[in-house]
């Protein structure tokens, strides 16, 4: 997945800093979106995945107008419905922008939504 950094993606705009470069929270959102796409092959009918952990190092600033390509690859097999993805972001010149891991859990969509609608059901 490739993204172009816009003013809406900057640390200034999202409130995570005061410089006009790609915000870490936006970068993490892009990386997480890549894991959602990569997780699709691990889910069956009525299932989805939800994020459970993010471990990302943001290594390089990307200015407005810069391009960032994000990717996610399953780094471990499904263990108890848990998936771990190796994620990375690379800028338009091929330099590493971020690297890390994001975990997702495979859940039944309806059961998950029912638990979130009734907080007592999750106990």
């Amino acid at each position: 997945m490739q993204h172009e950094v816009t003013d809406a993606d900057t640390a200034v705009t999202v409130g995570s800093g005061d410089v006009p470069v790609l915000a870490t929270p936006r970068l993490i959102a892009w990386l997480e979106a890549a894991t959602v796409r990569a997780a699709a092959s691990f889910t069956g009918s009525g299932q989805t995945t939800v994020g459970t952990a993010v471990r990302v190092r943001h290594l390089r600033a990307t200015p407005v107008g810069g391009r960032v390509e994000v990717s996610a690859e399953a780094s471990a097999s499904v263990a108890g419905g848990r998936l771990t993805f190796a994620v990375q972001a690379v800028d338009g010149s091929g330099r590493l922008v971020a690297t890390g891991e994001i975990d997702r859990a495979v859940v039944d969509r309806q059961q998950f939504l029912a638990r979130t609608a009734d907080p007592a059901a999750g106990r």
Side-chain angles (χ1 to χ4, degrees), residues 9-115:
D9 303 315
T10 65
V12 172
T13 301
V14 303
S16 66
D18 63 2
V19 289
V21 297
L22 176 60
T24 301
R26 181 76 77 216
L27 175 60
I28 290 171
W30 292 347
L31 290 165
E32 192 162 21
T35 69
V36 170
R37 290 181 69 176
S41 63
F42 295 96
T43 59
S45 178
Q47 293 182 318
T48 190
T49 61
V50 294
T52 59
V54 175
R55 296 172 299 284
V56 171
R57 292 179 54 218
H58 191 170
L59 305 169
R60 177 179 300 281
T62 307
V64 171
R67 293 194 179 278
V68 175
E69 184 172 349
V70 297
S71 62
E73 183 176 322
S75 61
S77 62
V78 179
R82 303 280 180 195
L83 302 166
T84 298
F85 293 91
V87 295
Q88 74 171 15
V90 177
D91 68 17
S93 65
R95 294 177 297 186
L96 189 63
V97 172
T99 186
E101 291 182 327
I102 295 179
D103 298 337
R104 301 192 68 76
V106 177
V107 298
D108 177 278
R109 181 186 306 274
Q110 294 303 322
Q111 289 177 1
F112 180 82
L113 292 173
R115 282 194 309 269

